[in-house]
Amino acid sequence: MPVDLSPIDKAKYVAAKRACDYVESGMKLGLGTGSTAAWLVRCLGELVRDEGLKIKGVPTSTRTAQLARDVGIEVISLDEARWLDLTIDGADEYDGALNLIKGGGGALLQEKIVATASDQMIVIADASKKVETLGAFPLPIEVIPFGWQTSKALVEEALVGMDVMGATTSLRMNGQAPFITDEGNHILDLHLNRIGNARQLSLVLNQIPGIVENGLFIDICDIVITGYGDGRVEVHDINKGEVDETRYDFLDDGNIFADLGD
């Protein structure tokens, strides 16, 4: 681990490294999507290569699947795995109850399916993802392409009765074309600023025709591992009601992650 990494990359790295302590040989793992989850995949790949760790990974996106194969992790489908020992993923926001907003990378549907098919879910994040109340990060919802504008109008109508501070919605774009998920759907981003009742909002959104899933992960996450740029790591276990802290240094000369972008 080099000393010249940015503080944010150091935070992501140490969170990913700490999460690896929960992984045992023989496990079937859900592998998340996003920049922080990519650090985890690389750390696991190092353990597979250097320490003989034997795991099977169920990726939550095509790009995670490719990275996992590149670093030597055996990739299987969720149908093959049927059930997972553990899922480790990132988050766009998390609150004190370990409720999450996910989907900034556009993989929320597969991420939620994989996470709920696991005995345990661990989120790895840098400290900027911790919030008092969810909602500053735009809430993604996955919608089918057919009639998406009608779905958008129904969402905006539903938001009028919700405990939120904003009600602006936008179609996520990829250049000049709509962003397309791995399942062939669109993403609507809801700019809510603050979500007063995340559980209620999640239920209401999923009742709207055309909405496949939303990015609120309620009562799914068991542990959040938060990394800091100085090498500190906090582990918040919601089931045990404990917060533990460890620290890593950055004295190693090697860096197997040199080609991993943010």
Side-chain angles (χ1 to χ4, degrees):
M1 186 69 185
V3 296
D4 58 350
L5 280 182
S6 69
I8 192 71
D9 280 337
K10 287 181 180 179
K12 293 176 180 181
Y13 172 79
V14 295
K17 187 174 179 63
R18 181 66 177 87
C20 289
D21 294 341
Y22 291 84
V23 178
E24 300 175 2
S25 272
M27 278 188 168
K28 291 179 286 188
L29 299 177
L31 303 175
T33 296
S35 60
T36 310
W39 287 95
L40 170 82
V41 174
R42 289 300 184 93
C43 286
L44 290 173
E46 182 181 26
L47 294 174
V48 168
R49 183 192 67 200
D50 296 342
E51 299 186 19
L53 179 70
K54 297 186 182 301
I55 55 174
K56 296 181 180 180
V58 175
T60 55
S61 66
T62 54
R63 59 188 180 277
T64 296
Q66 185 58 57
L67 178 58
R69 292 188 182 100
D70 289 345
V71 299
I73 296 173
E74 181 182 353
V75 171
I76 61 173
S77 70
L78 184 57
D79 289 333
E80 291 174 292
R82 303 192 64 168
W83 195 258
L84 304 174
D85 299 289
L86 174 64
T87 287
I88 306 175
D89 203 347
D92 299 302
E93 284 186 348
Y94 72 91
D95 65 15
L98 306 195
N99 294 316
L100 320 169
I101 287 181
K102 290 180 52 56
L108 67 96
L109 176 58
Q110 293 188 16
E111 289 173 336
K112 189 173 281 191
I113 292 172
V114 168
T116 54
S118 305
D119 287 337
Q120 189 177 47
M121 182 192 188
I122 295 176
V123 160
I124 51 177
D126 62 85
S128 69
K129 303 301 191 297
K130 185 177 182 179
V131 296
E132 291 295 324
T133 305
L134 298 176
F137 190 90
L139 173 64
I141 57 176
E142 187 158 339
V143 300
I144 66 171
F146 176 81
W148 72 265
Q149 294 191 47
T150 299
S151 298
K152 179 175 180 290
L154 290 171
V155 168
E156 291 170 347
E157 182 179 347
L159 289 175
V160 173
M162 295 290 100
D163 184 8
V164 296
M165 289 185 64
T168 303
T169 66
S170 60
L171 178 68
R172 187 177 298 183
M173 303 296 290
N174 182 15
Q176 298 299 311
F179 175 88
I180 303 296
T181 70
D182 281 352
E183 298 299 319
N185 297 315
H186 295 331
I187 295 284
L188 294 177
D189 289 310
L190 313 188
H191 305 270
L192 306 177
N193 301 319
R194 183 187 66 84
I195 300 172
N197 190 331
R199 188 183 307 275
Q200 180 190 42
L201 178 60
S202 179
L203 291 172
V204 168
L205 289 174
N206 281 7
Q207 291 175 351
I208 296 173
I211 304 301
V212 182
E213 190 52 84
N214 70 81
L216 288 167
F217 284 51
I218 310 297
D219 297 334
I220 296 176
C221 177
D222 299 285
I223 296 172
V224 168
I225 299 176
T226 306
Y228 295 84
D230 61 0
R232 287 182 299 122
V233 182
E234 288 182 353
V235 179
H236 184 175
D237 189 320
I238 195 70
N239 298 312
K240 294 181 179 178
E242 298 175 350
V243 178
D244 296 324
E245 182 174 310
T246 56
R247 190 183 190 96
Y248 295 92
D249 58 38
F250 303 99
L251 301 178
D252 297 338
D253 294 327
N255 178 22
I256 66 168
F257 310 115
D259 59 336
L260 183 60
D262 190 48

